[in-house]
Each structure stands twice: as C-alpha cells, then as structure tokens.
C-alpha cells in the first residue's frame, strides 16, 4: 500500500494537533475520575435530594467497588461511543468535501492506504485513551473505597476495557464506511450511532450476545464486575467483532475506490 507510513504519520499529527487529542481523553478521564465518586456517594446524594425519610422507603444496596467498575463500562458504552463515532464519521467525508483527499491521493497514495491509515490511527488513539481512563478509574476507586481499588483488579478492568475497545473498532469501521459512502458527516454519524443502538438491543438476546459482537458490552460489564462468565461468552464476541470490523473496513475501501473525488 503506497505511502502508508507517511499517511500514518499525517493521521497522528491530525490527532495530536487538533481537538481530538483533548476531547476524547478529557471525556474519558473525567468519567473515570467522577464515576467511582458518584457510585460511592449515591446514597448521600439521594438523601440530600429526597430527604432521609423518603430515601428510607427506597431499598438501595450499599455501593461496592464492583459497582464503580461496572459504571466505568457503562459510561464508555453510553457516552464515549458518541465521541468515537463523531470522530470517525467526519474522517473521510470532511477531507473529500474540502479537497484534501484529492491532494493526498496524487502524492501518490493508494486509496487503500488512505482508508486504512484513518482506521489504524483512530483505533489506536481510542485504545490508548480508554486504557488511560481505565487506569484512572481503578486508582480513584481505590481512593474512595479505601485501598487496593476496593478489591477491583486492574488487570480485570483493563481486560474489560479491551473488550469495549473491540466494540469501538466495530463502530469506527462502520462510521468510516458511512463516511466513505456519504459526503454529509451527519449522515455518517447517524449510521454509526444507529448501529450502536442495534448492537445494544441485540445484546439483550442471550444467543446473539453469546456468539456475536452484540455480546461485547455484556462481556465487558461481566469482566469488570467480576461476574461469572464462561470463556466462550467472551471470546466469541471478541473474535466475531474483530472479523466484522475487518470486513466493514474492507467494504469501506471498496466504496472509497469507486468514489468520485472533487
């Protein structure tokens, strides 16, 4: 693939020198730092809002470190995915509209390298930011739940985050495909977000969750909280998620190869 190394360097510079380098890590670190605190003091927060008498009528169990770990995965799956999708949705379409894509492809750089370089740098950036956030979440959990991360193992939290990163890779591939197919960033972002909701709904079906990428979110939550889960329920979603991401990326390449540039 012609010019892959220069394109990878260019994509890295685009991340480091633009809003992306601050927004995604900033969002993830904020969620990682505040999630355990909110989990630990949920009862106190509700007591202040509702009053002690009304709170007594609501059976709320005492929060645990496992709850904080589960909240981290929930925050990733409910908030961070939108930032990831928006980043990927505008990657190709914005450069096509501005004419940057045409300039890059006469360097010469192949269209395959052009699409793949976007995917590689975005996926690596999301992975680094997510693992950084997981480490912060583990450290803050240890502080608010009094030592040793309240019993949550860093390896388990990183493993759960790694499973989520596979989901992010699938969403990046879908969004890049949509970005290659449509010039409007809003359309590409809508497709990426719609795909996320479809995967979330499919994850509620046990058979789909066990053998398809729809099980990535349940698997990540189970690993983070220490819930019992057989190995197949982890590796099947991860393996099928990686295969799906590769197929989607290949489709994005095919679509972009046929796209008429300005």
């Amino acid at each position: 693939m012609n010019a892959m190394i220069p394109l990878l360097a260019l994509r890295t510079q685009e991340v480091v020198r633009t809003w992306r380098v601050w927004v995604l890590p900033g969002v993830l670190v904020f969620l990682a730092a505040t999630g355990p605190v909110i989990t630990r003091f949920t009862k106190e927060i509700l007591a202040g809002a509702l009053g002690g008498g009304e709170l007594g009528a609501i059976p709320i169990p005492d929060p645990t470190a496992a709850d904080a770990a589960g909240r981290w995965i929930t925050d990733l799956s409910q908030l961070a995915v939108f930032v990831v999708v928006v980043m990927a949705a505008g990657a190709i379409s914005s450069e096509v509209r501005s004419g940057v894509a045409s300039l890059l492809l006469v360097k010469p750089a192949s269209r395959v390298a052009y699409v793949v370089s976007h995917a590689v740098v975005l996926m690596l950036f999301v992975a680094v930011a997510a693992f950084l956030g997981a480490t912060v979440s583990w450290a803050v959990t240890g502080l608010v739940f009094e030592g040793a991360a309240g019993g949550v193992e860093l390896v388990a939290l990183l493993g759960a985050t790694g499973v989520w990163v596979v989901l992010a890779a699938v969403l990046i591939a879908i969004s890049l495909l949509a970005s290659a197919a449509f010039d409007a960033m809003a359309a590409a972002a809508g497709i990426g977000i719609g795909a996320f909701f479809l995967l979330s709904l499919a994850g509620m079906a046990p058979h789909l969750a066990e053998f398809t990428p729809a099980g990535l979110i349940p698997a990540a939550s189970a690993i983070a909280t220490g819930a019992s889960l057989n190995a197949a329920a982890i590796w099947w979603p991860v393996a099928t998620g990686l295969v799906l991401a590769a197929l989607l990326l290949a489709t994005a390449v095919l679509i972009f190869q046929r796209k008429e540039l300005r």
Side-chain angles (χ1 to χ4, degrees):
M1 290 183 286
N2 293 339
M4 175 60 81
I5 300 302
L7 281 174
L8 289 173
L10 175 63
R11 302 304 174 205
T12 303
Q13 291 177 5
E14 289 174 351
V15 169
V16 173
R17 296 179 180 178
T18 61
W19 58 271
R20 299 174 187 176
V21 73
W22 301 109
V23 172
L24 182 63
V27 168
L28 294 184
V29 169
F30 175 78
L31 294 174
T34 58
V37 176
I38 294 173
T39 301
R40 171 63 180 83
F41 297 104
T42 295
K43 277 192 169 183
E44 288 80 354
I45 294 171
L46 290 176
L50 301 177
E54 294 183 28
L55 181 63
I58 304 174
I60 301 177
D62 292 330
T64 65
D67 295 330
R71 184 186 181 93
W72 165 244
I73 299 301
T74 299
D75 286 342
L76 283 177
S77 303
Q78 292 184 349
L79 299 173
V81 290
F82 294 102
V83 180
V84 171
V85 166
V86 169
M87 286 173 52
I92 296 176
S93 59
S94 61
E95 292 188 346
V96 170
R97 290 196 310 272
S98 64
V100 172
S102 297
L103 293 174
L104 290 175
L105 292 172
V106 297
K107 292 297 183 179
S110 70
R111 295 198 180 203
V112 176
Y114 178 89
V115 175
V116 172
S117 64
H118 269 300
V120 169
V121 171
L122 279 173
M123 291 176 184
L124 286 176
F125 177 55
V126 170
V128 170
F131 287 128
L132 171 64
T135 304
V136 172
S137 179
W138 176 81
V140 175
T141 298
L143 291 175
V144 298
F145 286 93
E146 299 181 355
V152 173
E153 295 183 3
L154 178 59
V155 172
L157 198 58
L158 291 176
T161 303
V163 173
W164 177 85
V165 168
V166 176
L167 171 67
V170 172
L171 295 176
I172 288 172
I174 292 172
S175 300
L176 284 176
L177 190 160
S179 187
F182 302 100
D183 289 339
M185 176 181 170
I191 290 172
I193 292 171
F196 166 69
F197 281 116
L198 286 176
L199 284 172
S200 299
L201 290 174
M204 298 178 184
H207 293 297
L208 288 176
E210 187 173 357
F211 297 108
T212 73
L216 288 169
I217 295 176
S221 298
I223 295 171
T225 59
S228 60
L229 193 68
N230 63 67
I234 299 173
W235 293 114
W236 268 109
V238 169
T240 55
L242 291 173
V243 170
L244 178 60
L247 291 174
L248 290 167
L249 187 58
T251 305
V253 169
L254 291 175
I255 290 174
F256 190 68
Q257 286 179 325
R258 291 169 171 77
K259 190 177 185 67
E260 184 177 346
L261 301 181
R262 301 175 183 178

